[in-house]
mmCIF file of all heavy atoms in Angstrom:
data_model
loop_
_atom_site.group_PDB
_atom_site.id
_atom_site.type_symbol
_atom_site.label_atom_id
_atom_site.label_comp_id
_atom_site.label_asym_id
_atom_site.label_seq_id
_atom_site.Cartn_x
_atom_site.Cartn_y
_atom_site.Cartn_z
ATOM 1 N N ARG N 9 121.854 57.831 119.187
ATOM 2 C CA ARG N 9 122.984 58.098 118.289
ATOM 3 C C ARG N 9 122.852 57.273 117.013
ATOM 4 O O ARG N 9 123.610 56.349 116.772
ATOM 5 C CB ARG N 9 124.307 57.775 118.988
ATOM 6 C CG ARG N 9 124.592 58.692 120.163
ATOM 7 C CD ARG N 9 125.983 58.466 120.698
ATOM 8 N NE ARG N 9 126.201 59.209 121.932
ATOM 9 C CZ ARG N 9 127.321 59.170 122.638
ATOM 10 N NH1 ARG N 9 128.321 58.411 122.232
ATOM 11 N NH2 ARG N 9 127.447 59.854 123.751
ATOM 12 N N LEU N 10 121.870 57.615 116.223
ATOM 13 C CA LEU N 10 121.692 56.961 114.930
ATOM 14 C C LEU N 10 122.280 57.852 113.835
ATOM 15 O O LEU N 10 122.505 59.044 114.043
ATOM 16 C CB LEU N 10 120.193 56.746 114.654
ATOM 17 C CG LEU N 10 119.488 55.766 115.576
ATOM 18 C CD1 LEU N 10 117.982 55.838 115.367
ATOM 19 C CD2 LEU N 10 119.983 54.341 115.355
ATOM 20 N N PHE N 11 122.520 57.244 112.662
ATOM 21 C CA PHE N 11 122.913 58.031 111.492
ATOM 22 C C PHE N 11 121.599 58.455 110.825
ATOM 23 O O PHE N 11 120.962 57.661 110.123
ATOM 24 C CB PHE N 11 123.785 57.201 110.552
ATOM 25 C CG PHE N 11 125.099 56.804 111.182
ATOM 26 C CD1 PHE N 11 125.273 55.546 111.730
ATOM 27 C CD2 PHE N 11 126.151 57.705 111.239
ATOM 28 C CE1 PHE N 11 126.469 55.179 112.323
ATOM 29 C CE2 PHE N 11 127.364 57.353 111.827
ATOM 30 C CZ PHE N 11 127.515 56.084 112.367
ATOM 31 N N HIS N 12 121.191 59.706 111.072
ATOM 32 C CA HIS N 12 119.827 60.126 110.724
ATOM 33 C C HIS N 12 119.572 60.178 109.226
ATOM 34 O O HIS N 12 118.431 60.045 108.796
ATOM 35 C CB HIS N 12 119.520 61.468 111.384
ATOM 36 C CG HIS N 12 119.347 61.349 112.864
ATOM 37 N ND1 HIS N 12 118.241 60.763 113.438
ATOM 38 C CD2 HIS N 12 120.159 61.693 113.893
ATOM 39 C CE1 HIS N 12 118.358 60.768 114.744
ATOM 40 N NE2 HIS N 12 119.532 61.318 115.054
ATOM 41 N N ASN N 13 120.620 60.376 108.423
ATOM 42 C CA ASN N 13 120.431 60.444 106.978
ATOM 43 C C ASN N 13 120.742 59.120 106.289
ATOM 44 O O ASN N 13 120.962 59.073 105.081
ATOM 45 C CB ASN N 13 121.279 61.572 106.385
ATOM 46 C CG ASN N 13 120.830 62.932 106.888
ATOM 47 O OD1 ASN N 13 119.628 63.185 106.971
ATOM 48 N ND2 ASN N 13 121.770 63.788 107.244
ATOM 49 N N MET N 14 120.761 58.050 107.089
ATOM 50 C CA MET N 14 120.888 56.701 106.545
ATOM 51 C C MET N 14 119.606 55.942 106.840
ATOM 52 O O MET N 14 118.862 56.278 107.765
ATOM 53 C CB MET N 14 122.094 55.983 107.170
ATOM 54 C CG MET N 14 123.433 56.524 106.677
ATOM 55 S SD MET N 14 124.851 55.951 107.662
ATOM 56 C CE MET N 14 124.786 54.183 107.441
ATOM 57 N N THR N 15 119.331 54.916 106.046
ATOM 58 C CA THR N 15 118.104 54.141 106.238
ATOM 59 C C THR N 15 118.239 53.245 107.466
ATOM 60 O O THR N 15 119.335 53.048 108.005
ATOM 61 C CB THR N 15 117.819 53.251 105.016
ATOM 62 O OG1 THR N 15 118.868 52.272 104.908
ATOM 63 C CG2 THR N 15 117.736 54.074 103.732
ATOM 64 N N ALA N 16 117.103 52.704 107.868
ATOM 65 C CA ALA N 16 117.097 51.773 109.006
ATOM 66 C C ALA N 16 117.998 50.578 108.711
ATOM 67 O O ALA N 16 118.765 50.137 109.582
ATOM 68 C CB ALA N 16 115.665 51.303 109.284
ATOM 69 N N LEU N 17 117.940 50.074 107.465
ATOM 70 C CA LEU N 17 118.772 48.931 107.092
ATOM 71 C C LEU N 17 120.260 49.296 107.160
ATOM 72 O O LEU N 17 121.068 48.537 107.703
ATOM 73 C CB LEU N 17 118.417 48.442 105.684
ATOM 74 C CG LEU N 17 119.086 47.125 105.275
ATOM 75 C CD1 LEU N 17 118.358 45.944 105.909
ATOM 76 C CD2 LEU N 17 119.122 46.957 103.768
ATOM 77 N N GLU N 18 120.604 50.474 106.637
ATOM 78 C CA GLU N 18 122.010 50.903 106.642
ATOM 79 C C GLU N 18 122.521 51.083 108.067
ATOM 80 O O GLU N 18 123.657 50.728 108.381
ATOM 81 C CB GLU N 18 122.156 52.201 105.843
ATOM 82 C CG GLU N 18 122.009 52.010 104.339
ATOM 83 C CD GLU N 18 121.809 53.305 103.577
ATOM 84 O OE1 GLU N 18 121.467 54.337 104.201
ATOM 85 O OE2 GLU N 18 121.978 53.301 102.340
ATOM 86 N N ASN N 19 121.692 51.654 108.949
ATOM 87 C CA ASN N 19 122.080 51.811 110.347
ATOM 88 C C ASN N 19 122.379 50.462 110.988
ATOM 89 O O ASN N 19 123.333 50.321 111.759
ATOM 90 C CB ASN N 19 120.980 52.526 111.133
ATOM 91 C CG ASN N 19 121.168 54.025 111.187
ATOM 92 O OD1 ASN N 19 121.961 54.542 111.960
ATOM 93 N ND2 ASN N 19 120.436 54.725 110.336
ATOM 94 N N THR N 20 121.556 49.473 110.678
ATOM 95 C CA THR N 20 121.744 48.138 111.254
ATOM 96 C C THR N 20 123.013 47.489 110.711
ATOM 97 O O THR N 20 123.751 46.825 111.453
ATOM 98 C CB THR N 20 120.514 47.257 110.972
ATOM 99 O OG1 THR N 20 119.334 47.961 111.370
ATOM 100 C CG2 THR N 20 120.579 45.948 111.746
ATOM 101 N N LEU N 21 123.283 47.703 109.422
ATOM 102 C CA LEU N 21 124.503 47.159 108.817
ATOM 103 C C LEU N 21 125.763 47.725 109.477
ATOM 104 O O LEU N 21 126.769 47.027 109.595
ATOM 105 C CB LEU N 21 124.524 47.455 107.310
ATOM 106 C CG LEU N 21 123.609 46.581 106.443
ATOM 107 C CD1 LEU N 21 123.474 47.156 105.036
ATOM 108 C CD2 LEU N 21 124.146 45.149 106.370
ATOM 109 N N VAL N 22 125.693 48.985 109.930
ATOM 110 C CA VAL N 22 126.841 49.593 110.621
ATOM 111 C C VAL N 22 127.206 48.754 111.850
ATOM 112 O O VAL N 22 128.372 48.532 112.157
ATOM 113 C CB VAL N 22 126.530 51.055 111.030
ATOM 114 C CG1 VAL N 22 127.584 51.591 111.992
ATOM 115 C CG2 VAL N 22 126.461 51.936 109.794
ATOM 116 N N GLY N 23 126.170 48.255 112.555
ATOM 117 C CA GLY N 23 126.403 47.430 113.734
ATOM 118 C C GLY N 23 127.119 46.126 113.422
ATOM 119 O O GLY N 23 127.796 45.562 114.287
ATOM 120 N N MET N 24 126.967 45.659 112.195
ATOM 121 C CA MET N 24 127.586 44.384 111.809
ATOM 122 C C MET N 24 129.059 44.517 111.453
ATOM 123 O O MET N 24 129.746 43.508 111.286
ATOM 124 C CB MET N 24 126.853 43.796 110.595
ATOM 125 C CG MET N 24 125.498 43.281 110.950
ATOM 126 S SD MET N 24 124.757 42.467 109.542
ATOM 127 C CE MET N 24 123.143 42.173 110.234
ATOM 128 N N HIS N 25 129.533 45.747 111.355
ATOM 129 C CA HIS N 25 130.887 45.988 110.850
ATOM 130 C C HIS N 25 131.941 45.155 111.588
ATOM 131 O O HIS N 25 132.825 44.557 110.976
ATOM 132 C CB HIS N 25 131.225 47.478 110.964
ATOM 133 C CG HIS N 25 132.612 47.814 110.541
ATOM 134 N ND1 HIS N 25 133.020 47.772 109.221
ATOM 135 C CD2 HIS N 25 133.707 48.173 111.259
ATOM 136 C CE1 HIS N 25 134.299 48.089 109.154
ATOM 137 N NE2 HIS N 25 134.743 48.339 110.366
ATOM 138 N N SER N 26 131.809 45.068 112.916
ATOM 139 C CA SER N 26 132.839 44.367 113.691
ATOM 140 C C SER N 26 132.821 42.857 113.453
ATOM 141 O O SER N 26 133.767 42.161 113.807
ATOM 142 C CB SER N 26 132.645 44.640 115.186
ATOM 143 O OG SER N 26 131.444 44.056 115.658
ATOM 144 N N ARG N 27 131.725 42.342 112.855
ATOM 145 C CA ARG N 27 131.611 40.890 112.637
ATOM 146 C C ARG N 27 131.879 40.480 111.191
ATOM 147 O O ARG N 27 131.896 39.299 110.880
ATOM 148 C CB ARG N 27 130.204 40.407 113.026
ATOM 149 C CG ARG N 27 129.836 40.679 114.484
ATOM 150 C CD ARG N 27 130.707 39.901 115.433
ATOM 151 N NE ARG N 27 130.404 40.217 116.819
ATOM 152 C CZ ARG N 27 131.184 39.920 117.843
ATOM 153 N NH1 ARG N 27 132.337 39.321 117.632
ATOM 154 N NH2 ARG N 27 130.836 40.231 119.072
ATOM 155 N N LEU N 28 132.071 41.458 110.291
ATOM 156 C CA LEU N 28 132.318 41.117 108.887
ATOM 157 C C LEU N 28 133.812 40.910 108.657
ATOM 158 O O LEU N 28 134.647 41.559 109.268
ATOM 159 C CB LEU N 28 131.794 42.224 107.964
ATOM 160 C CG LEU N 28 130.277 42.478 108.032
ATOM 161 C CD1 LEU N 28 129.892 43.618 107.098
ATOM 162 C CD2 LEU N 28 129.493 41.227 107.690
ATOM 163 N N SER N 29 134.139 40.003 107.759
ATOM 164 C CA SER N 29 135.547 39.628 107.570
ATOM 165 C C SER N 29 136.109 40.052 106.217
ATOM 166 O O SER N 29 137.190 39.651 105.841
ATOM 167 C CB SER N 29 135.680 38.105 107.714
ATOM 168 O OG SER N 29 134.853 37.449 106.769
ATOM 169 N N GLY N 30 135.360 40.883 105.470
ATOM 170 C CA GLY N 30 135.732 41.211 104.097
ATOM 171 C C GLY N 30 137.145 41.725 103.915
ATOM 172 O O GLY N 30 137.886 41.250 103.069
ATOM 173 N N GLY N 31 137.553 42.716 104.697
ATOM 174 C CA GLY N 31 138.881 43.290 104.527
ATOM 175 C C GLY N 31 138.897 44.301 103.391
ATOM 176 O O GLY N 31 138.103 44.229 102.460
ATOM 177 N N ILE N 32 139.841 45.234 103.440
ATOM 178 C CA ILE N 32 139.854 46.347 102.479
ATOM 179 C C ILE N 32 140.101 45.859 101.054
ATOM 180 O O ILE N 32 139.381 46.217 100.116
ATOM 181 C CB ILE N 32 140.925 47.385 102.881
ATOM 182 C CG1 ILE N 32 140.516 48.052 104.211
ATOM 183 C CG2 ILE N 32 141.104 48.440 101.802
ATOM 184 C CD1 ILE N 32 141.578 48.938 104.812
ATOM 185 N N VAL N 33 141.120 45.026 100.855
ATOM 186 C CA VAL N 33 141.481 44.593 99.492
ATOM 187 C C VAL N 33 140.339 43.812 98.860
ATOM 188 O O VAL N 33 139.938 44.087 97.721
ATOM 189 C CB VAL N 33 142.770 43.734 99.519
ATOM 190 C CG1 VAL N 33 143.052 43.171 98.130
ATOM 191 C CG2 VAL N 33 143.955 44.577 99.988
ATOM 192 N N ARG N 34 139.798 42.845 99.604
ATOM 193 C CA ARG N 34 138.686 42.040 99.058
ATOM 194 C C ARG N 34 137.479 42.916 98.764
ATOM 195 O O ARG N 34 136.751 42.689 97.795
ATOM 196 C CB ARG N 34 138.306 40.932 100.045
ATOM 197 C CG ARG N 34 139.334 39.807 100.137
ATOM 198 C CD ARG N 34 138.968 38.803 101.208
ATOM 199 N NE ARG N 34 137.701 38.165 100.937
ATOM 200 C CZ ARG N 34 136.926 37.619 101.871
ATOM 201 N NH1 ARG N 34 137.297 37.661 103.135
ATOM 202 N NH2 ARG N 34 135.795 37.042 101.555
ATOM 203 N N SER N 35 137.251 43.947 99.597
ATOM 204 C CA SER N 35 136.104 44.838 99.382
ATOM 205 C C SER N 35 136.287 45.671 98.119
ATOM 206 O O SER N 35 135.350 45.865 97.342
ATOM 207 C CB SER N 35 135.918 45.764 100.588
ATOM 208 O OG SER N 35 135.599 45.013 101.738
ATOM 209 N N ILE N 36 137.502 46.156 97.886
ATOM 210 C CA ILE N 36 137.774 46.962 96.679
ATOM 211 C C ILE N 36 137.626 46.102 95.429
ATOM 212 O O ILE N 36 137.051 46.522 94.423
ATOM 213 C CB ILE N 36 139.198 47.574 96.755
ATOM 214 C CG1 ILE N 36 139.242 48.646 97.858
ATOM 215 C CG2 ILE N 36 139.600 48.181 95.418
ATOM 216 C CD1 ILE N 36 140.643 49.149 98.176
ATOM 217 N N LEU N 37 138.143 44.878 95.505
ATOM 218 C CA LEU N 37 138.100 43.987 94.340
ATOM 219 C C LEU N 37 136.724 43.358 94.128
ATOM 220 O O LEU N 37 136.474 42.755 93.087
ATOM 221 C CB LEU N 37 139.142 42.872 94.487
ATOM 222 C CG LEU N 37 140.612 43.328 94.504
ATOM 223 C CD1 LEU N 37 141.529 42.149 94.750
ATOM 224 C CD2 LEU N 37 140.968 44.009 93.173
ATOM 225 N N ARG N 38 135.829 43.535 95.144
ATOM 226 C CA ARG N 38 134.470 42.977 95.066
ATOM 227 C C ARG N 38 134.511 41.490 94.744
ATOM 228 O O ARG N 38 133.886 41.013 93.791
ATOM 229 C CB ARG N 38 133.633 43.723 94.008
ATOM 230 C CG ARG N 38 133.501 45.204 94.236
ATOM 231 C CD ARG N 38 132.513 45.541 95.322
ATOM 232 N NE ARG N 38 131.165 45.134 94.985
ATOM 233 C CZ ARG N 38 130.225 44.829 95.875
ATOM 234 N NH1 ARG N 38 130.511 44.872 97.153
ATOM 235 N NH2 ARG N 38 129.027 44.480 95.489
ATOM 236 N N THR N 39 135.281 40.743 95.507
ATOM 237 C CA THR N 39 135.396 39.301 95.275
ATOM 238 C C THR N 39 134.053 38.621 95.555
ATOM 239 O O THR N 39 133.206 39.162 96.273
ATOM 240 C CB THR N 39 136.459 38.692 96.208
ATOM 241 O OG1 THR N 39 136.026 38.838 97.566
ATOM 242 C CG2 THR N 39 137.814 39.360 96.030
ATOM 243 N N PRO N 40 133.854 37.412 94.986
ATOM 244 C CA PRO N 40 132.592 36.682 95.233
ATOM 245 C C PRO N 40 132.319 36.493 96.716
ATOM 246 O O PRO N 40 131.169 36.569 97.151
ATOM 247 C CB PRO N 40 132.821 35.342 94.530
ATOM 248 C CG PRO N 40 133.831 35.634 93.462
ATOM 249 C CD PRO N 40 134.706 36.698 94.013
ATOM 250 N N GLY N 41 133.372 36.274 97.490
ATOM 251 C CA GLY N 41 133.200 36.087 98.932
ATOM 252 C C GLY N 41 132.617 37.324 99.592
ATOM 253 O O GLY N 41 131.745 37.234 100.466
ATOM 254 N N VAL N 42 133.108 38.499 99.164
ATOM 255 C CA VAL N 42 132.618 39.758 99.720
ATOM 256 C C VAL N 42 131.164 39.983 99.326
ATOM 257 O O VAL N 42 130.327 40.373 100.150
ATOM 258 C CB VAL N 42 133.495 40.944 99.258
ATOM 259 C CG1 VAL N 42 132.800 42.279 99.513
ATOM 260 C CG2 VAL N 42 134.831 40.918 99.974
#
């Protein structure tokens, strides 16, 4: 169950989603922390 039209790196980043702390607002604002 891979995302076939995404790169190997992008597929691996999907796995990290549960461990990232960015949050929606910080992600939209592209803060230095994000």
Side-chain angles (χ1 to χ4, degrees):
R9 294 188 188 178
L10 294 170
F11 296 99
H12 289 288
N13 296 318
M14 288 167 61
T15 65
L17 188 79
E18 288 166 343
N19 268 281
T20 309
L21 284 167
V22 168
M24 288 186 187
H25 177 71
S26 67
R27 301 295 177 195
L28 298 179
S29 58
I32 293 171
V33 174
R34 288 175 61 204
S35 296
I36 291 170
L37 296 176
R38 302 283 296 153
T39 64
V42 165

